[in-house]
Amino acid sequence: MKKTFFTLFLSISVFSGFAFQWPVSDPVLVTSFGESRFGDFSKGIELQSGSEDVYPIDQGEVVFYRSGETGGEIPSPLGNFAVIQHERGIYSIYAHLDKVYVPDYKFTEKNRLGTIGSTGLSTGKSLFLILLDGEFEQYINPLLSLPPMLDLKKPRIGPVYFIAENKQGNQKNEAKGDLTLKSGVYSIQVEIKDFNDNAGNYSPTAPFSISLYLNGENRKNIKFESLKLETGNMVLQNSGESTYDTLYSSPWVYKIGNFDLSPGDTRIELAVKDFEGNETSRILKITVVE
Amino acid sequence: MSMYKISFLLILAYVVLIGRPVEQEYSLEPGWISDLSTEEYVTAPASGEVPFTFSDHFGYFSPDNAVMLHDKVLYGIALDEKGFINYSSINAALVLQSPDGMVYGRLDDAGYPFFIGSRRFLLNSDGTALSEMNPDGEILWTNRFSSMITDVSASLTSLVVGTLNSGIRMLDTSGKETFSYKPEFSRTNTVYGTALSSDDSSILVISGLDPQKVLLFTKKNSGYRIVFSMDLEHEYRFQRQCGFSVDGNFAYFDYGSYLFLLNTVRREVKEFPVGGTLQRVVIAGLNDLVYTSAETGDVIRFSGFDLDGDQIFRYTSRGRDSFLDKDASGLYAGAGDYLFKLKKVKR
């Protein structure tokens, strides 16, 4: 556990120290890291742009690519793509490209790599950017190493649900104001959507972090920083071993965790931040009875 | 020993060690031809159909020139003798259909399907997880990988998965890992191609950069060991086409406008000039020819070579994608809008 934490810390630190460039001009974030995408964690970010051209985020070397010319024996849900290897075993992957330009394998930030497209399993014309730390074999949130994106909009906290499992099945209680519940173990689930200034209100994304406080005590933190394969499952690191199935109830509803609520007054605070630090919180007062 | 006996032994040694009946006594002549752009084909349930796909065509035909089903590929196609999934780039569900076009199953998981032999797989939306499904489309198992899957090869009993950063992993029919190998001879672990012999006795891997190597593994006890290694002078950075002959005596891989054929017993490599970018290969093994199709510009070149690399026949057709298959009576090929048979005729 300590080793895993140290590895994650080291890896995040390395990435935070980098200053990569945006692969497209005037990027608009339409899918964030860790968001629910096709029934799984999004291992990268999806960007739209008014321009067509895609450039590497840093200098490096194309080690693998696929285009209409190269073909391939297995299908490619990522469509046409290119993989650039950078220093220290870091890979950047540019997917759903229309054209892939690989006249030479060595690339600087100024060499055009391709054009934005919608090839493969893509919902629209966009670039899907994935950052893989090959040394630690984990996916890193690319926003950690890209320039800041202007965004003043706060995440929105939607309905909060308290779901109790009993003999009759799951009993779902929505906290619309003060709520009275019987004591017991509840799965707290909350709908959260973040909106980016550039993307407007039509394309929500996942937040960057979610924290839950129970009677003032920090009981759960979820951070969309990195994903790593552990015992056959992709796990959101530093977030209480969250897998896709344990975190997502539906694409925008997050299962924060299971909490034992004892009789008495209970104060629950949810604090949600987006990547630019915009924060929203909500306090719920629960009366728990026998 | 008399000269008679010596001659007899020499002839016997030649027949046993070197000699083999090659098909040079045969030539290929045009058989039937179907124009898929104009002819309409009715769906006719039948057995013994041969699946085909090339360009944006797919369907089934019988060797006596009855195209059972022909349709256009939406975005991608996975098909085998028992059915197909014709899918769009983005789907609410993947629909399984039998060779007569009847819908018999559906799969709600996101991803793209592909079939190898009689086995059916699904690659997830970002290419990092592989699932196997049964003929009805039910997921049997899912295996996740720490980096992108770059190639997959399968036999009836095993599966080899190549990855961007984690080498190869061999899985059994339940998705459990039985062998793995991470190439560490070069500055990248990327696997560009994998092939698995039908009896699981050999694995071919193309991997690495500076050098890029072709590695042949053979089964030994419970694992595999490298028995052949070759540095490639020209490196390619996309998925490479490779495979084994049906009898396992040969492994092949594409190399620019050449097919390289590795004799897995003698560990010798021969080059076959296929005349373009290799598309399809049909190799039964010993006592047969090597059939290839290759594309250059909008011309498809179909070729047949003997195992020494000598070209026995060549046939060109217009098109950018091709189909190639064979049975005892001849060769079936497709290019452009035409599906045709080249009959094997004794000279």
Side-chain angles (χ1 to χ4, degrees), chain A residues 63 70-71 87 100 112 138 187 252 287:
Chain A
V63 293
T70 63
E87 288 182 344
V100 182
R112 189 171 60 152
Q138 62 183 347
S187 165
W252 303 109
T287 303

Side-chain angles (χ1 to χ4, degrees), chain B residues 68-80:
Chain B
M68 303 292 180
L69 176 82
H70 164 244
D71 208 341
K72 294 277 183 172
V73 175
L74 295 171
Y75 180 81
I77 183 82
L79 83 168
D80 61 17

Side-chain angles (χ1 to χ4, degrees), chain A residues 69-119:
Chain A
E69 284 73 40
T70 63
E73 291 188 296
I74 59 172
S76 175
L78 293 177
N80 295 332
F81 64 83
V83 181
I84 293 188
Q85 187 179 36
H86 306 282
E87 288 182 344
R88 295 180 241 188
I90 294 159
Y91 296 93
S92 58
I93 302 168
Y94 309 79
H96 306 310
L97 298 174
D98 182 24
K99 299 273 192 298
V100 182
Y101 302 119
V102 188
D104 188 14
Y105 297 129
K106 302 278 186 189
F107 273 77
T108 71
E109 303 94 316
K110 293 179 179 173
N111 299 131
R112 189 171 60 152
L113 180 62
T115 55
I116 279 188
S118 57
T119 54

Side-chain angles (χ1 to χ4, degrees), chain B residues 312-329:
Chain B
I312 304 303
F313 76 87
R314 191 175 78 183
Y315 185 90
T316 57
S317 182
R318 289 272 169 204
R320 297 191 69 88
D321 191 19
S322 59
F323 165 75
L324 194 59
D325 201 352
K326 73 179 275 284
D327 66 11
S329 65

Side-chain angles (χ1 to χ4, degrees), chain B residues 130-185:
Chain B
L130 186 70
S131 304
E132 180 162 15
M133 51 186 148
N134 69 12
D136 295 327
E138 292 166 0
I139 298 293
L140 301 171
W141 52 262
T142 296
N143 213 311
R144 295 177 181 279
F145 296 81
S146 56
S147 64
M148 179 196 294
I149 293 168
T150 55
D151 197 11
V152 179
S153 52
S155 68
L156 286 174
T157 48
S158 291
L159 177 73
V160 175
V161 180
T163 65
L164 178 70
N165 189 53
S166 317
I168 62 162
R169 286 173 61 193
M170 190 173 196
L171 311 176
D172 64 14
T173 50
S174 63
K176 187 183 162 194
E177 184 173 304
T178 54
F179 172 71
S180 67
Y181 170 77
K182 193 165 183 175
E184 288 174 340
F185 52 78

Side-chain angles (χ1 to χ4, degrees), chain A residues 238-255:
Chain A
N238 205 17
S239 300
E241 309 295 310
S242 294
T243 64
Y244 180 82
D245 290 335
T246 62
L247 182 61
Y248 281 98
S249 173
S250 64
W252 303 109
V253 178
Y254 299 88
K255 295 189 252 185

Side-chain angles (χ1 to χ4, degrees), chain B residues 19-273:
Chain B
R20 58 184 185 273
V22 295
E23 297 201 349
Q24 293 186 24
E25 312 87 68
Y26 293 92
S27 65
L28 292 165
E29 293 181 358
W32 51 259
I33 185 165
S34 293
D35 183 349
L36 299 173
S37 68
T38 58
E39 294 176 34
E40 289 190 5
Y41 298 98
V42 285
T43 299
S47 59
E49 302 96 335
V50 180
F52 71 88
T53 177
F54 61 96
S55 304
D56 59 350
H57 302 290
F58 80 94
Y60 296 85
F61 66 88
S62 66
D64 57 352
N65 185 24
V67 174
M68 303 292 180
L69 176 82
H70 164 244
D71 208 341
K72 294 277 183 172
V73 175
L74 295 171
Y75 180 81
I77 183 82
L79 83 168
D80 61 17
E81 291 172 3
K82 292 180 179 170
F84 64 89
I85 300 174
N86 188 14
Y87 58 93
S88 306
S89 62
I90 189 156
N91 297 277
L94 297 168
V95 176
L96 291 97
Q97 293 175 265
S98 56
D100 58 9
M102 295 294 288
V103 174
Y104 70 92
R106 97 181 230 141
L107 183 66
D108 292 322
D109 296 54
Y112 286 170
F114 62 100
F115 300 167
I116 302 178
S118 59
R119 298 180 68 181
R120 299 173 166 201
F121 302 98
L122 182 75
L123 196 58
N124 80 333
S125 62
D126 58 19
T128 59
L130 186 70
S131 304
E132 180 162 15
M133 51 186 148
N134 69 12
D136 295 327
E138 292 166 0
I139 298 293
L140 301 171
W141 52 262
T142 296
N143 213 311
R144 295 177 181 279
F145 296 81
S146 56
S147 64
M148 179 196 294
I149 293 168
T150 55
D151 197 11
V152 179
S153 52
S155 68
L156 286 174
T157 48
S158 291
L159 177 73
V160 175
V161 180
T163 65
L164 178 70
N165 189 53
S166 317
I168 62 162
R169 286 173 61 193
M170 190 173 196
L171 311 176
D172 64 14
T173 50
S174 63
K176 187 183 162 194
E177 184 173 304
T178 54
F179 172 71
S180 67
Y181 170 77
K182 193 165 183 175
E184 288 174 340
F185 52 78
S186 89
R187 58 195 165 83
T188 173
N189 301 317
T190 304
V191 172
Y192 296 93
T194 66
L196 177 64
S197 63
S198 59
D199 62 355
D200 298 348
S201 64
S202 303
I203 302 170
L204 189 81
V205 176
I206 301 174
S207 176
L209 293 172
D210 296 335
Q212 189 168 79
K213 284 179 184 281
V214 174
L215 304 170
L216 178 69
F217 295 76
T218 59
K219 196 168 193 174
K220 181 156 189 181
N221 301 323
S222 58
Y224 288 80
R225 66 184 176 98
I226 297 171
V227 294
F228 176 83
S229 171
M230 179 176 137
D231 290 5
L232 296 175
E233 193 177 338
H234 299 290
E235 300 178 342
Y236 295 91
R237 304 190 183 199
F238 45 82
Q239 190 191 356
R240 308 289 296 278
Q241 192 178 162
C242 49
F244 280 90
S245 60
V246 176
D247 66 5
N249 285 311
F250 300 94
Y252 67 84
F253 56 94
D254 73 287
Y255 194 68
S257 58
Y258 286 85
L259 172 80
F260 273 35
L261 194 69
L262 167 64
N263 185 315
T264 57
V265 180
R266 297 178 188 169
R267 317 265 160 78
E268 294 171 351
V269 175
K270 285 201 166 71
E271 301 173 17
F272 295 69

